[in-house]
Amino acid sequence: MNKILYTFLFTLCFWLQSYSSVIDSTTVRPYPQPYPWADSLIKTMTLEQKIAQLIMIRVVSNENGKYSKQITETISKLELGGVCMFQGGPVRNVNLINRIQSVSKIPVLVSIDGEWGLSMRLDSTIMFPRQIALGAIQDNSLIYRMGKEIAREFLRAGIRLNFAPDADINCNSKNPVINSRSFGSDRDNVTQKAIAYMMGMEDNGLMACAKHFPGHGDTETDSHLALPIINHSVATLDSIDLYPFKRLIESGISSVMIAHLFVPALDTTRNRPSSLSNAIVQDLLRKKLNFNGLIITDALDMKGVSKFYKPGECELAALVADNDILLLPVDPEIAIKTIKNAVDSCLISEELITSKCLKVLRYKEHFKINECFEIPTQSLIEDLNPESTKHLVRELTEASITVLGNKTNALPLPNTDYTTDATLAIGSENTNKFQQTLSIYGRFSHFNFAPNFDYKQSDSMLNVLSKYSTVIVSIHNTSQLPQRGYGVSDESIKFIDTLSKRTKVILSVFGNPYILEKLPSTGNYPVIVEAYQPTLMAEESAAQVIMGSNRANGRLSVNVSNELSAGAGTNTSTIGRMSITEPAQFDLPEYYFKKIDSIVKRAIKLRVFPGCQIAIAYRGQLIINKSYGTPTYIDKSPVENTDIYDLASVTKTLSTTLAVMKLYENKAIDLEDKASKYLTWLNNTNKSNITIAQLLTHNAGLKPFIPFWNTYVIKGIPDSTIFKKVKSAEYCYQVADSMYVSRAIKDSILIKIAASPLDSTKPYQYSDLGFIILKELVETVVKCPINRFVDSIFYAPMNLSTMGYLPLDRFPKSRIMPTEHDVLFRMQTVHGTVHDQTAALFGGVSGHAGLFSNASDVAVLTQMLLNEGVYAGVRYFKPATIHKFTKHWFSQEINNRRSLGFDKPSTEGASPCAPSASDKSFGHSGFTGTFVWCDPEYNLSYVFLSNRVYPDAENNRLAKLGIRTEIQELIYQAIKSTIK
């Protein structure tokens, strides 16, 4: 027999005398109540059955059917008391649990190591933040809510014990096994977070387990591989390491896991792990700390213990030390036999086994494991992934973001510009979520270093980036492990440090805060944003803090250096930019948004359009910003939120109308002015008396449109005297790829508009011509092209990075959605230039078409209108101006529903918007498949962008099927369902 075990057992006779004083530890704390099922069952059980109830084995669900059969046969044969689930998926896992329970005479206690939720072990589930990130949160009620939600998910998945929270105080940055699994290095913070997490679980029916007693935080050895040594004094252990466990025990935690550690201050026996130490388990935890709950060993197949003890001997020693559950023995059958032989040999008493078995059974009864029934797999994935949980993860992530420094108030960033502000994402080959989110709020030039970037090329990149006044450097693709350098190379750190000495660098770290240890000095950075996790949610949240759409109040969870100690952090403020969230923020039912998804996906399947974007802003927050489908039916790359669509007639509202509103507010024009007052070429024509208000309301009797392009196509071929393949000083207006038209064409078209007939019998006719005229009027007054005017007054100050005319001047063609395959005029697929033929003849800049954008930029601009003219603290319009332009301009007696530049709901006949839209609402639609609508009554804006004209503009099923307004009505129904 192993000498250590022999010596250990030799003293057993003395220990057994003292054991009688704690034999009543079968009491389930803190739940004193009758346990009829457990107390009755124990009387019928054999010794082997009792021993088997103390054993919990490893189970995975990602193996084949042969494995499943073998594991269920083992559990059935040995009548084991518990299993610990590892790799697999939810449905496979539940199916295996159901099989296990079906063959077990006594229901099995199903556990999992799920510190950050089921996703720690199972795919297709939601990942909560690691504890190092949670340690930065100031509001512990969020931690409780996380524990509550984890309890709901675990119980739905058939799991009743979570090996969490980790109560270790991580005070060693080189800790290879705990590290980011700890709440941090401050004992009080760790304790408060651990209690909140524990109570969230246990209050809602899930057994929690504090680990790794007596404290695994200060080691550089992985107990999976060897036996770590904790060289703390008794005083340090008592005041630091043990402190969270004491408070958790006082708070009534049900179980504690014992680590495999060598702690000389508590037990000097060489190579005896704490998990097998009577002095640590029995004397310290059970007696001194008065813990009468379940004591569970850490995995007994770990080298920290298995290296020194043979199978069977290890499990027997663990029981003698006073553990209750033997977790993951190397060989459970040998363990049972060895323990039985020890009882038969009177080395240990059956009373000990009975006491521990009864305790396990009582805990099973308390947590209703004895009532286990078959777990349904129908809707399991949906049940484990609700939008409300995703929103909770957002809340946790946002609350963890920690801003360090910021003494010069570098954050939030004010307006940005492509020429002065840049981003550099290190470890990210392509533009990532962080950069994309920054672009929702600002105009940046984006750069990326792939993970395998050759830093020999860094000098050229340094020269490029040094020309920018501000560079936001972000670190991605990180690791949580110190043995991997946290996934950040020394070359990366050197590059960042060099750049910080040449220009202002705002550093954002998406990974372990110990990465900051690698910086030579943090003094070169006006501000550092620590985001803790390499997740999309963290990237989005950090970007919002930087741009001032969300505030930060996180505090550093660990000691990094003398400059950056635990608790460091600065609160930041918001500046009124739209924040990003989910419908769950406002308790909007998930059903309606899933219905929207299904409508869009069905439309794509029916080839109504190849792809689209939807943005929904509610109460000033972007609750949906989603892309669907592909750019074309041939190009199968997914549409991204950063992709850009031709807005078509939405240009009328988001460019021309806004420009007219600004001129009106500045008293540069009057709405009853005649357009001919500013445009002399309208004098002496039938349009000389048309007012600005008539043009805005489509009430001038103008023709809807004129196909000017027909004039310039001869026998199906564009006139070569009008169009050239190469741009020149004269042929400077780009119509399409390799197609340029003479600048003289504009005057020719305007003359034709001036000479066109009016219809006095139908003054209200929706017309492009009126907005072509208005664009000319605006340019005459402001003395610059309308595209420059609206950009300088609205788009640039609001940091709308995609909105504007002539997108090919600013973006690669790959980011722009193609429109029609034009076989009548341009003889090519229109891609990157405006779809509207007349606007194309104007070189892409017109008052009725020509504007491009993504959905989120449109949502931001419309939010300014809903905010009565204010966005991000800047006033663009007076409230009275917006009210004047967005109300019905005519009385009901006149059959014209329009406002000044905007469309409105109709009380008679077909309405352009959803039935539930209020009378205060306004918006517009576009020929290419776009739709924008604002409703002040609900503080709601809805943006739908598509390229339904690809490849054929005759495809108008989008309007015929009413898809855009059907989606809009679902949004209203979601909102109304929450109004009591």
Side-chain angles (χ1 to χ4, degrees):
M1 182 180 290
N2 184 293
K3 289 184 178 179
I4 296 173
L5 182 61
Y6 182 82
T7 303
F8 196 57
L9 293 175
F10 183 77
T11 62
L12 189 59
C13 59
F14 301 101
W15 177 83
L16 285 174
Q17 294 177 6
S18 65
Y19 186 77
S20 61
S21 65
V22 294
I23 200 72
D24 289 334
S25 62
T26 53
T27 301
V28 180
R29 295 183 67 249
Y31 314 110
Q33 62 186 49
Y35 293 95
W37 174 80
D39 295 348
S40 174
L41 180 61
I42 193 72
K43 298 173 184 178
T44 68
M45 296 174 66
T46 65
L47 175 59
E48 289 91 337
Q49 288 174 321
K50 294 174 185 176
I51 296 170
Q53 283 298 299
L54 311 181
I55 290 178
M56 184 175 284
I57 65 168
R58 181 190 306 269
V59 175
V60 299
S61 61
N62 60 352
E63 295 287 347
N64 55 29
K66 183 179 179 181
Y67 168 84
S68 176
K69 182 180 179 182
Q70 288 175 341
I71 203 71
T72 52
E73 286 177 351
T74 298
I75 292 168
S76 176
K77 173 187 173 184
L78 300 179
E79 300 185 69
L80 300 176
V83 295
C84 183
M85 310 303 296
F86 283 83
Q87 299 94 338
V91 174
R92 289 169 291 168
N93 213 63
V94 164
N95 285 332
L96 184 52
I97 290 172
N98 284 336
R99 285 193 290 271
I100 289 170
Q101 297 291 19
S102 70
V103 301
S104 300
K105 294 178 182 177
I106 301 173
V108 169
L109 172 57
V110 181
S111 67
I112 199 168
D113 201 1
E115 295 161 20
W116 50 89
L118 289 171
S119 68
M120 188 168 173
R121 300 300 178 190
L122 305 181
D123 60 37
S124 307
T125 55
I126 293 174
M127 181 175 70
F128 290 89
R130 288 194 179 217
Q131 289 189 190
I132 199 170
L134 300 176
I137 295 173
Q138 299 303 291
D139 181 3
N140 290 332
S141 69
L142 283 172
I143 312 296
Y144 179 90
R145 286 172 55 200
M146 182 190 78
K148 179 180 179 180
E149 173 57 22
I150 284 176
R152 185 196 68 81
E153 293 179 16
F154 280 40
L155 268 58
R156 175 65 180 90
I159 297 164
R160 298 301 179 99
L161 167 60
N162 186 15
F163 292 128
D166 188 311
D168 299 310
I169 297 171
N170 198 83
C171 46
N172 189 330
S173 64
K174 297 179 181 179
N175 194 324
V177 63
I178 304 302
N179 209 296
S180 64
R181 296 165 61 193
S182 164
F183 287 114
S185 55
D186 179 84
R187 73 163 199 177
D188 294 312
N189 190 45
V190 169
T191 300
Q192 292 163 12
K193 299 294 189 294
I195 290 173
Y197 188 4
M198 177 274 289
M199 294 186 72
M201 289 187 286
E202 296 224 346
D203 285 354
N204 293 279
L206 179 67
M207 194 190 309
C209 180
K211 61 186 185 184
H212 304 82
F213 189 88
H216 208 316
D218 189 11
T219 178
E220 296 180 19
T221 303
D222 186 346
S223 52
H224 292 84
L225 307 175
L227 182 62
I229 301 175
I230 302 294
N231 280 316
H232 288 185
S233 66
V234 170
T236 299
L237 288 165
D238 187 63
S239 63
I240 302 296
D241 302 78
L242 292 174
Y243 185 82
F245 295 98
K246 293 177 186 177
R247 302 288 83 84
L248 282 161
I249 291 168
E250 291 171 359
S251 300
I253 193 164
S254 293
S255 66
V256 171
M257 178 179 285
I258 309 296
H260 305 313
L261 303 168
F262 179 45
V263 190
L266 299 178
D267 189 333
T268 58
T269 307
R270 184 176 177 79
N271 294 331
R272 178 183 290 169
S274 50
S275 54
L276 307 186
S277 169
N278 176 257
I280 293 173
V281 182
Q282 164 75 8
D283 295 341
L284 176 59
L285 179 57
R286 187 75 78 192
K287 290 183 177 181
K288 185 175 180 180
L289 301 185
N290 194 32
F291 180 64
N292 291 326
L294 287 175
I295 300 179
I296 305 172
T297 69
D298 205 343
L300 294 173
D301 57 1
M302 293 165 63
K303 296 297 183 183
V305 63
S306 64
K307 181 178 179 181
F308 307 103
Y309 293 83
K310 293 179 180 179
E313 297 175 353
C314 173
E315 290 73 27
L316 177 58
L319 278 181
V320 169
D322 206 14
N323 290 280
D324 298 309
I325 291 181
L326 311 174
L327 182 63
L328 311 188
V330 174
D331 190 321
E333 189 167 8
I334 290 177
I336 293 171
K337 288 180 179 179
T338 303
I339 295 168
K340 183 179 182 298
N341 288 338
V343 174
D344 292 342
S345 304
C346 296
L347 290 174
I348 60 174
S349 69
E350 185 170 351
E351 185 182 26
L352 171 65
I353 304 299
T354 300
S355 172
K356 293 187 175 299
C357 179
L358 180 57
K359 182 190 294 185
V360 170
L361 294 176
R362 285 181 172 179
Y363 270 94
K364 285 187 177 184
E365 185 170 0
H366 177 78
F367 286 96
K368 300 181 180 180
I369 297 164
N370 61 308
E371 300 174 10
C372 282
F373 50 85
E374 185 170 348
I375 308 155
T377 56
Q378 185 176 4
S379 302
L380 178 63
I381 300 298
E382 292 81 359
D383 292 345
L384 297 179
N385 293 274
E387 289 300 318
S388 58
T389 304
K390 295 175 185 176
H391 180 65
L392 175 57
V393 172
R394 178 182 295 280
E395 290 184 89
L396 291 161
T397 302
E398 289 176 347
S400 72
I401 302 298
T402 303
V403 172
L404 302 166
N406 204 32
K407 293 180 180 178
T408 60
N409 294 317
L411 300 185
L413 279 184
N415 287 354
T416 60
D417 186 83
Y418 304 110
T419 61
T420 59
D421 302 281
T423 73
L424 171 65
I426 295 177
S428 177
E429 188 168 358
N430 301 308
T431 304
N432 55 39
K433 189 71 170 179
F434 178 64
Q435 293 169 306
Q436 292 170 5
T437 306
L438 288 172
S439 288
I440 291 177
Y441 303 105
R443 296 182 168 193
F444 296 93
S445 296
H446 295 304
F447 300 89
N448 294 74
F449 273 179
N452 57 351
F453 179 79
D454 183 359
Y455 280 87
K456 294 178 182 178
Q457 307 169 28
S458 63
D459 285 346
S460 61
M461 181 63 80
L462 278 170
N463 291 333
V464 170
L465 291 174
S466 297
K467 296 175 182 177
Y468 291 88
S469 58
T470 300
V471 182
I472 301 176
V473 177
S474 51
I475 300 176
H476 306 265
N477 198 36
T478 60
S479 167
Q480 294 290 339
L481 302 176
Q483 55 267 46
R484 296 181 183 175
Y486 299 111
V488 182
S489 68
D490 292 340
E491 291 84 357
S492 296
I493 296 298
K494 182 179 178 181
F495 179 90
I496 297 169
D497 185 58
T498 303
L499 180 63
S500 71
K501 296 171 183 175
R502 296 192 182 186
T503 190
K504 182 169 75 174
V505 170
I506 293 173
L507 180 61
S508 191
V509 178
F510 296 100
N512 196 306
Y514 287 125
I515 290 171
L516 299 174
E517 274 189 335
K518 299 166 76 75
L519 296 174
S521 171
T522 58
N524 294 334
Y525 308 92
V527 62
I528 297 173
V529 179
E530 173 54 53
Y532 298 96
Q533 308 167 86
T535 65
L536 297 179
M537 191 72 77
E539 292 183 4
E540 193 171 77
S541 298
Q544 292 191 81
V545 166
I546 289 170
M547 299 307 297
S549 62
N550 269 346
R551 59 175 54 87
N553 65 354
R555 294 294 182 267
L556 196 62
S557 54
V558 294
N559 288 314
V560 172
S561 64
N562 292 332
E563 297 171 313
L564 299 175
S565 58
T570 302
N571 290 356
T572 63
S573 60
T574 60
I575 57 173
R577 287 175 174 149
M578 180 185 294
S579 63
I580 300 170
T581 186
E582 291 86 19
Q585 168 75 26
F586 304 104
D587 297 321
L588 300 178
E590 189 176 347
Y591 161 80
Y592 294 97
F593 298 94
K594 286 186 175 181
K595 181 69 173 173
I596 290 172
D597 287 344
S598 65
I599 290 171
V600 173
K601 290 173 183 177
R602 182 173 181 273
I604 292 172
K605 188 175 181 180
L606 294 174
R607 296 173 76 92
V608 177
F609 47 80
C612 72
Q613 292 175 350
I614 294 178
I616 303 168
Y618 180 53
R619 299 186 189 176
Q621 299 191 52
L622 192 61
I623 62 171
I624 294 290
N625 185 28
K626 201 166 185 179
S627 295
Y628 303 81
T630 56
T632 71
Y633 299 112
I634 299 170
D635 180 358
K636 295 302 181 181
S637 59
V639 176
E640 303 287 349
N641 289 347
T642 52
D643 290 337
I644 302 163
Y645 282 86
D646 183 337
L647 298 186
S649 284
V650 173
T651 302
K652 294 180 174 74
T653 59
L654 301 188
S655 174
T656 310
T657 298
L658 294 186
V660 172
M661 290 169 69
K662 180 55 67 176
L663 297 185
Y664 164 79
E665 186 169 280
N666 292 343
K667 295 183 169 40
I669 61 171
D670 189 276
L671 295 174
E672 297 305 323
D673 283 344
K674 297 174 182 178
S676 59
K677 174 181 177 180
Y678 307 94
L679 303 174
T680 57
W681 50 273
L682 291 177
N683 288 327
N684 302 317
T685 72
N686 58 3
K687 300 170 185 64
S688 61
N689 292 322
I690 294 175
T691 67
I692 294 172
Q694 287 176 313
L695 294 174
L696 287 166
T697 57
H698 301 273
N699 211 58
L702 294 168
K703 293 175 68 67
F705 74 100
I706 300 173
F708 299 104
W709 63 272
N710 262 336
T711 310
Y712 311 112
V713 176
I714 303 172
K715 296 182 179 180
I717 299 175
D719 188 343
S720 60
T721 65
I722 303 295
F723 303 100
K724 301 297 181 183
K725 292 184 177 181
V726 179
K727 185 177 182 179
S728 65
E730 174 59 29
Y731 294 87
C732 57
Y733 287 172
Q734 185 175 13
V735 176
D737 281 354
S738 303
M739 189 175 185
Y740 297 87
V741 69
S742 168
R743 64 172 66 245
I745 203 76
K746 173 184 172 182
D747 290 339
S748 174
I749 291 174
L750 294 179
I751 290 170
K752 291 178 181 178
I753 290 175
S756 64
L758 294 177
D759 189 341
S760 59
T761 64
K762 293 176 63 179
Y764 173 47
Q765 287 194 97
Y766 177 78
S767 174
D768 288 345
L769 304 186
F771 278 78
I772 293 174
I773 294 171
L774 285 169
K775 174 256 189 184
E776 297 301 315
L777 186 153
V778 169
E779 292 185 341
T780 300
V781 174
V782 302
K783 295 180 172 52
C784 80
I786 194 170
N787 57 314
R788 295 182 190 171
F789 179 70
V790 291
D791 187 71
S792 63
I793 299 298
F794 303 110
Y795 311 154
M798 295 178 71
N799 282 332
L800 305 181
S801 62
T802 64
M803 187 173 288
Y805 292 84
L806 308 175
L808 288 174
D809 290 351
R810 297 173 291 130
F811 302 103
K813 186 182 287 187
S814 60
R815 282 189 58 186
I816 306 167
M817 298 297 99
T819 52
E820 183 181 8
H821 183 66
D822 187 352
V823 296
L824 298 176
F825 172 32
R826 285 157 288 196
M827 309 305 171
Q828 60 183 281
T829 297
V830 180
H831 192 180
T833 54
V834 65
H835 173 265
D836 182 270
Q837 298 94 333
T838 302
L841 290 170
F842 284 149
V845 180
S846 186
H848 72 294
L851 195 63
F852 285 72
S853 181
N854 68 355
S856 60
D857 273 1
V858 175
V860 168
L861 186 58
T862 56
Q863 188 61 47
M864 178 271 290
L865 298 174
L866 289 171
N867 292 347
E868 297 193 317
V870 174
Y871 187 77
V874 178
R875 179 164 291 285
Y876 296 90
F877 292 112
K878 298 174 184 177
T881 303
I882 294 176
H883 295 163
K884 188 178 189 70
F885 274 76
T886 59
K887 69 180 182 179
H888 284 286
W889 189 246
F890 298 98
S891 63
Q892 291 184 355
E893 289 75 24
I894 298 176
N895 186 26
N896 185 338
R897 67 176 185 259
R898 301 278 170 168
S899 67
L900 294 171
F902 297 95
D903 204 353
K904 295 283 290 181
S906 175
T907 55
E908 297 181 6
S911 183
C913 56
S916 292
S918 78
D919 187 60
K920 295 178 181 178
S921 69
F922 55 92
H924 216 285
S925 61
F927 185 81
T928 52
T930 57
F931 183 82
V932 179
W933 208 265
C934 304
D935 197 331
E937 187 167 308
Y938 292 89
N939 196 356
L940 172 70
S941 70
Y942 162 52
V943 182
F944 180 98
L945 305 183
S946 76
N947 53 337
R948 67 96 190 162
V949 293
Y950 177 87
D952 183 0
E954 295 300 314
N955 170 22
N956 198 26
R957 284 178 291 172
L958 179 63
K960 290 179 180 178
L961 295 172
I963 289 170
R964 292 171 292 188
T965 52
E966 183 183 4
I967 291 171
Q968 186 184 24
E969 181 62 23
L970 284 169
I971 301 167
Y972 280 107
Q973 293 305 317
I975 294 171
K976 288 180 178 181
S977 72
T978 66
I979 300 174
K980 298 179 181 179

